[in-house]
Amino acid sequence: MTTMTTTQTTTVTAPAQATPATRGTLPPHIARATATAGGALTIISAFLAWTWTSAFPGNLTVYGYPGGLQWLVLVSGALLTLFGLSSYGIKGLNWLTPQGADAAIRLSAYAALATAWFTMAAISVQLGGAVNLEPGAYFALVATLIGWLGARSLPYERPETTPADPEDTGFGQFKHNLGNRWETYKGTLTTGTARPAKTLPSYIEILIVAVVLALGLVVFTYGISTEYDELFIGFLITAGFGFAAIQKAGLIQRVATLTARHRNVTLIGAFVAAAAFPFTQSDDQYATIGVNILIFATVALGLNIVVGLAGLLDLGYVAFLGVGAYAAALVSGSPTSPLGIQLPFWQAILVGAAASMVFGVLIGAPTLRLRGDYLAIVTLGFGEIFRIAVLNLDGTSGPDVTNGSNGISSIPNLSILGFDFGATHSIAGFTIGRFANYFFLMLLVTLIVVVVFRRSAESRIGRAWVAIREDETAAEAMGINGFRTKLVAFALGATLAGLAGAVQAHVTYTVTPEQYQFAHAVPPNSAFLLAAVVLGGMGTISGPLVGGALLFLIPNKLQFMSDYQLFAFGLALVLLMRFRPEGLIANRRRQLEFHEKDEAPATLTKAGS
């Protein structure tokens, strides 16, 4: 007789447990005090002179008033001090660190240290040695080093609460909140982390959202308005570590929860803040960058429908931007247009969007039955076919439609209801130039794209896209018409790209085939558009906007790295995929997918016979 033993495995989701901390060289309370003191000293150092000569840009020779890179060190020191004080449970400040302050302290200390030491190195290299440093510079170096040493002595890991899923409601949300409160309370007893904040009145939450949007406008304006390479590199260092610090503190998730509760207010506030950008500029120098960032980011958001929601890898998406730009240019009254047609702008932009939609359907219909790499290869081929076709439609190799390599030039400025977008206007005492005018127009197009994306993602077709992205075979088995659903995504994404292309044609005056290659030094192109979606966060609204802004701004500002831009770009993507594969602004579901091992439920095994 053979005895058989069966084993029954029961999976039980255990409550989140605090991760054991690895201690540093100092006791935690002394390490926090040292880091906080280092942050305060860093703030003081920003008011001292760092060099004796104004030859280094930013004028770092003044006592009592920060300049240039000193402002960035001041911001880093302020973050370090705030997070350090919040670790003591000071009323009001503990709201800033719902997931504990230690990780935020460490990253803020890195921000102050890296920015200050980079500045001193830049001064020494540019002016010819460390002899050009004033005592205030050495004070800043020592202050940031003290803060860093204190932060390095903190425990390496802290107890963290699991971020809430904005889509979770009802009893599941109640259990989540209750578990987080208990775990955070235990963390308060053992590690000094802050207790969860009380529920705030609605008007306070809206005020917090408004403050966050205002800070976003300040950061965006400062990044665009940096006047020299050293300042922009320092800005990237401070912004990168600062963003990581507030994210580790849980502040990003806390603000995201507030914006989810007040979505309409946040959407309106975001566009009001963006509309205020031209009024912060004295001329069109940086408004040019602003309008091009909007074009690039808006097209990336359209691609996010195809890639982020439907999961279709499109490597030729920039061709739809080109179709919209060429279609609008041909009917906008350009003297070089072979058609000789001049339509009002609202008709021209509809022509551009309709032409892109038609091409999206024509290309998608025969190819969307393919999946994965095969679809990517076909879309890549479509992008190259478009570029070669417009090159050959020059009257020699083919019909005279696009003027070949010369493109369509001298596209006239828009005039809507008597408002000339090419002229300078005065609004409330502010001078608004040509590119600022187009910035407002492109902002309106971006608003349309955001609303379309949001409504589509929350609709039945949006849920079908997500189902196909996760498992197309299973989705079809549940009754979803995979081909038709993917074709709708392809056509909608192409239409949104056509809208942006119609505006781009009027902004740049000229459209040429070289603007719409798969990869070249100047975005937008298909490679950078896809990278913007991945970098920002697939399936989100703000992710591609942020990713597009970064990928356009960084190459534009760091012109001295023109020979190494693609190398730096590739290295940044590798590091991103290693440390944050879900993107800068992650969708909660995708974040759980990429960090499944970190948040896996405990498994208990029960044996029986």
Side-chain angles (χ1 to χ4, degrees), residues 328-335 337 339-345 347-348 411-415 506:
L330 286 171
V331 299
S332 294
S334 170
S337 171
L339 301 184
I341 301 175
Q342 183 171 4
L343 298 178
F345 171 69
Q347 295 181 5
I411 300 172
N413 283 302
L414 296 175
S415 180
H506 291 84

Side-chain angles (χ1 to χ4, degrees), residues 413-458:
N413 283 302
L414 296 175
S415 180
I416 302 177
L417 300 177
F419 185 87
D420 186 0
F421 281 75
T424 300
H425 302 274
S426 180
I427 302 177
F430 294 92
T431 301
I432 305 298
R434 176 182 183 271
F435 286 102
N437 296 331
Y438 280 106
F439 181 89
F440 290 124
L441 177 62
M442 194 60 218
L443 192 61
L444 178 60
V445 175
T446 304
L447 176 61
I448 294 173
V449 174
V450 167
V451 171
V452 170
F453 181 93
R454 174 179 160 185
R455 300 300 295 174
S456 300
E458 295 174 351

Side-chain angles (χ1 to χ4, degrees), residues 395-412:
T396 302
S397 301
D400 186 11
V401 178
T402 64
N403 292 329
S405 59
N406 295 324
I408 300 174
S409 59
S410 302
I411 300 172

Side-chain angles (χ1 to χ4, degrees), residues 296-367:
F296 186 37
T298 302
V299 178
L301 186 58
L303 178 61
N304 198 26
I305 292 179
V306 180
V307 177
L309 294 181
L312 307 174
L313 185 56
D314 189 350
L315 299 182
Y317 188 75
V318 75
F320 297 122
L321 177 70
V323 170
Y326 266 98
L330 286 171
V331 299
S332 294
S334 170
T336 60
S337 171
L339 301 184
I341 301 175
Q342 183 171 4
L343 298 178
F345 171 69
W346 67 270
Q347 295 181 5
I349 196 171
L350 290 179
V351 168
S356 295
M357 181 184 67
V358 170
F359 271 85
V361 173
L362 292 178
I363 298 302
T367 61

Side-chain angles (χ1 to χ4, degrees), residues 112-127:
L113 182 78
T115 308
W117 286 66
F118 164 76
T119 303
M120 307 316 166
I123 293 174
S124 301
V125 171
Q126 184 167 333
L127 301 183

Side-chain angles (χ1 to χ4, degrees), residues 182-485:
W182 169 242
E183 292 303 323
T184 308
Y185 176 70
K186 289 196 299 183
T188 304
L189 298 178
T190 58
T191 65
T193 54
R195 295 189 183 188
K198 297 180 180 179
T199 302
L200 301 174
S202 295
Y203 70 93
I204 296 293
E205 293 182 345
I206 293 175
L207 180 62
I208 292 173
V209 171
V211 171
V212 170
L213 293 175
L215 290 175
L217 174 63
V218 171
V219 173
F220 179 76
T221 304
Y222 190 90
I224 287 183
S225 304
T226 50
E227 298 176 350
Y228 48 95
D229 297 333
E230 294 86 354
L231 183 60
F232 185 72
I233 293 175
F235 167 75
L236 290 180
I237 294 173
T238 304
F241 280 111
F243 178 82
I246 61 178
Q247 185 179 48
K248 283 293 186 180
L251 193 57
I252 294 291
Q253 183 63 31
R254 173 158 283 176
V255 172
T257 303
L258 298 183
T259 57
R261 292 178 191 165
H262 309 282
R263 291 197 303 173
N264 293 329
V265 173
T266 302
L267 181 62
I268 295 172
F271 280 91
V272 169
F277 166 72
F279 296 101
T280 65
Q281 306 300 307
S282 58
D283 53 42
D284 252 6
Q285 179 182 1
Y286 299 117
T288 308
I289 302 176
V291 68
N292 283 290
I293 284 177
L294 278 181
I295 293 173
F296 186 37
T298 302
V299 178
L301 186 58
L303 178 61
N304 198 26
I305 292 179
V306 180
V307 177
L309 294 181
L312 307 174
L313 185 56
D314 189 350
L315 299 182
Y317 188 75
V318 75
F320 297 122
L321 177 70
V323 170
Y326 266 98
L330 286 171
V331 299
S332 294
S334 170
T336 60
S337 171
L339 301 184
I341 301 175
Q342 183 171 4
L343 298 178
F345 171 69
W346 67 270
Q347 295 181 5
I349 196 171
L350 290 179
V351 168
S356 295
M357 181 184 67
V358 170
F359 271 85
V361 173
L362 292 178
I363 298 302
T367 61
L368 286 178
R369 300 187 187 278
L370 301 174
R371 299 185 186 182
D373 298 339
Y374 300 101
L375 178 62
I377 293 172
V378 171
T379 54
L380 176 61
F382 163 65
E384 288 301 299
I385 289 172
F386 167 77
R387 184 180 63 84
I388 295 172
V390 295
L391 274 173
N392 290 328
L393 296 177
D394 56 357
T396 302
S397 301
D400 186 11
V401 178
T402 64
N403 292 329
S405 59
N406 295 324
I408 300 174
S409 59
S410 302
I411 300 172
N413 283 302
L414 296 175
S415 180
I416 302 177
L417 300 177
F419 185 87
D420 186 0
F421 281 75
T424 300
H425 302 274
S426 180
I427 302 177
F430 294 92
T431 301
I432 305 298
R434 176 182 183 271
F435 286 102
N437 296 331
Y438 280 106
F439 181 89
F440 290 124
L441 177 62
M442 194 60 218
L443 192 61
L444 178 60
V445 175
T446 304
L447 176 61
I448 294 173
V449 174
V450 167
V451 171
V452 170
F453 181 93
R454 174 179 160 185
R455 300 300 295 174
S456 300
E458 295 174 351
S459 66
R460 185 179 66 176
I461 190 69
R463 293 191 292 271
W465 287 336
V466 173
I468 289 176
R469 182 193 68 193
E470 298 300 325
D471 192 327
E472 184 173 350
T473 302
E476 290 179 346
M478 297 302 295
I480 295 176
N481 188 322
F483 172 74
R484 185 175 61 186
T485 304

